[in-house]
């Protein structure tokens, strides 16, 4: 049976370690495909088209959107970001579990369109620990970090709608838990309605030769 | 943190091996408590009050029901069956994951009352295999077994509402999968709303000393 893949949406507080988690998950298991977003923002140094993002002109992006070829999209700070549908559905049909790493508002749109999508929210063990990690990166001033944490709190609207919360305390354990959660999702009844229907049909029609 | 236990409802086709699964799960792990039903039917040979069932008079049963001390109840073939609430809630409060092995209609009532309950449906790999197992027991005639299978099909209304389907092909794997499923249920966002609320609160209020 070539089972359909699961759609997994991963969000979380910036600094929760999502990037590292994703990288490690993909390194350890080969049944995952990471969706690549499209964006109208310009590539930063070191970024490559088709790796970090698909870099599109605003015209190209709006064409995709208008042709309903985006699973979800949103505008942040004058730039569009969106998830191209084709890659996602192609990989799922191949039996790959497809991971979207997107913001909460986009995630909620995905859930509406794909009710079986699994929504995972990654969080550090505490606000203090999150701050410690951001400070540890050494790329931003304390002022910028504080503003960012406040914004994170503000942007957390809707996190209660996620299916599972993963506390990223230990990267190794967190990866394994994420993998287990996604794999067990394959046992959801909604994926096995055909099996159940056939089972029921067969129970009626077994005869003495069976 | 003394985390609240999960309420787990297990149902399945008769002959799917639920009894053996439960016994094995409880033998391997000590974080489970198996709820004992109350019934107004008479004890059969070898059955003990408080072990297989709590055997009650109809009057005692109706008293429990009228005092809302049953999680769910139903009448089958002139006898009442029900799940006493006290044991379930006490064990959950102690952090035990409580397992109810009940019929589908009762399970759906439990889900209404406890939306976080995890509903697991156990099925053999096929109708033929189910029949083979029932015949193998050697306790019933082929005629009785065929009638039973038809009834099983009829009584399967509502199985689509279960959260997960467990195909009991290999008892060992099935026990482990059930255990994983229940344990991961503890990560459901709905169990961590306090944590999320506090996290958000803290993100707002971190200051430069943090």
């Amino acid at each position: 049976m070539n089972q359909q893949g699961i759609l997994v949406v991963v969000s979380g507080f910036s600094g929760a370690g999502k990037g590292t988690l994703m990288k490690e998950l993909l390194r350890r298991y080969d049944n995952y495909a990471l969706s690549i977003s499209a964006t109208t923002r310009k590539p930063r140094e070191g970024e490559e088209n088709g790796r970090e993002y698909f870099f599109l002109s605003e015209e190209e992006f709006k064409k995709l959107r208008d042709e309903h070829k985006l699973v979800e999209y949103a505008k942040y700070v004058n730039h569009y970001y969106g998830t191209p549908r084709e890659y996602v559905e192609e990989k799922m049909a191949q039996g790959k579990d497809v991971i979207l790493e997107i913001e909460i508002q986009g995630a909620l749109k995905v859930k509406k369109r794909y009710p079986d999508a699994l929504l995972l929210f990654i969080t550090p063990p505490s606000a203090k620990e999150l701050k410690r990690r951001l400070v540890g990166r050494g790329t931003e001033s304390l002022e910028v970090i504080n503003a960012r944490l406040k914004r994170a709190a503000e942007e957390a609207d809707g996190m209660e709608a996620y299916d599972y919360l993963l506390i990223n305390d230990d990267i190794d354990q967190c990866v394994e838990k994420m993998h287990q959660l996604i794999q067990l999702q394959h046992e959801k009844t909604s994926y096995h309605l055909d099996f159940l229907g056939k089972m029921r049909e067969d129970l009626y029609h077994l005869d003495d030769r069976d």
Side-chain angles (χ1 to χ4, degrees), chain A:
Chain A
M1 181 171 59
N2 185 11
Q3 210 187 8
Q4 164 98 355
I6 305 284
L7 186 58
V8 186
V9 178
V10 177
S11 309
F13 294 116
S14 136
K18 286 193 301 290
T20 318
L21 275 175
M22 294 301 101
K23 215 179 278 174
E24 194 53 27
L25 186 72
L26 288 157
R27 197 184 64 76
R28 292 190 194 178
Y29 303 100
D30 62 4
N31 57 305
Y32 296 109
L34 190 63
S35 156
I36 298 162
S37 296
T39 182
T40 58
R41 81 155 167 77
K42 296 280 162 279
R44 292 186 194 130
E45 206 176 311
E47 287 183 336
E48 221 171 79
N49 189 36
R51 193 180 62 190
E52 283 80 10
Y53 287 97
F54 293 109
F55 295 101
L56 305 181
S57 69
E58 198 160 316
E59 200 187 347
E60 291 169 319
F61 191 97
K62 286 184 171 167
K63 190 164 178 284
L64 278 186
R65 179 195 65 183
D66 296 342
E67 292 174 347
H68 306 288
K69 289 181 175 164
L70 296 175
V71 174
E72 56 80 38
Y73 73 95
K75 199 172 187 177
Y76 294 102
V77 209
N78 291 325
H79 295 299
Y80 285 102
Y81 294 82
T83 305
R85 173 198 305 286
E86 193 180 345
Y87 177 88
V88 168
E89 297 196 341
E90 198 176 283
K91 290 291 171 187
M92 281 168 71
Q94 288 168 14
K96 292 274 185 185
D97 298 326
V98 177
I99 300 180
L100 312 186
E101 195 196 319
I102 56 178
E103 302 299 315
I104 298 179
Q105 297 315 312
L108 300 182
K109 286 183 204 160
V110 171
K111 185 76 176 179
K112 258 197 196 147
R113 187 163 221 150
Y114 302 88
D116 283 330
L118 176 67
L119 268 55
L120 304 180
F121 197 83
I122 316 289
T123 168
S126 70
K128 271 197 184 178
E129 172 62 18
L130 176 54
K131 183 167 180 178
R132 204 188 56 73
R133 290 185 196 171
L134 291 175
V135 171
R137 286 184 186 175
T139 52
E140 290 165 324
S141 73
L142 209 53
E143 210 183 335
V144 169
I145 288 175
N146 283 336
R148 208 163 121 139
L149 292 174
K150 278 200 170 45
R151 208 176 53 242
E154 283 157 16
E155 288 174 356
D157 267 346
M159 62 181 173
E160 300 80 6
Y162 278 65
D163 296 303
Y164 294 92
L165 186 72
L166 285 174
I167 298 176
N168 187 11
D169 203 352
D170 174 289
I171 180 91
D172 186 62
Q173 281 175 25
C174 197
V175 168
E176 289 310 312
K177 209 174 247 187
M178 189 186 289
H179 176 62
Q180 278 189 0
L181 262 174
I182 300 171
Q183 292 322 302
L184 285 168
Q185 194 71 0
H186 286 280
E187 318 302 334
K188 273 241 152 181
T189 304
S190 47
Y191 293 116
H192 299 283
L193 296 179
D194 286 352
F195 172 88
L196 282 173
K198 185 175 182 315
M199 183 79 180
R200 207 167 174 178
E201 203 53 32
D202 288 350
L203 285 171
Y204 271 117
H205 296 116
L206 282 180
D207 62 31
D208 288 352
R209 289 161 306 171
D210 292 311

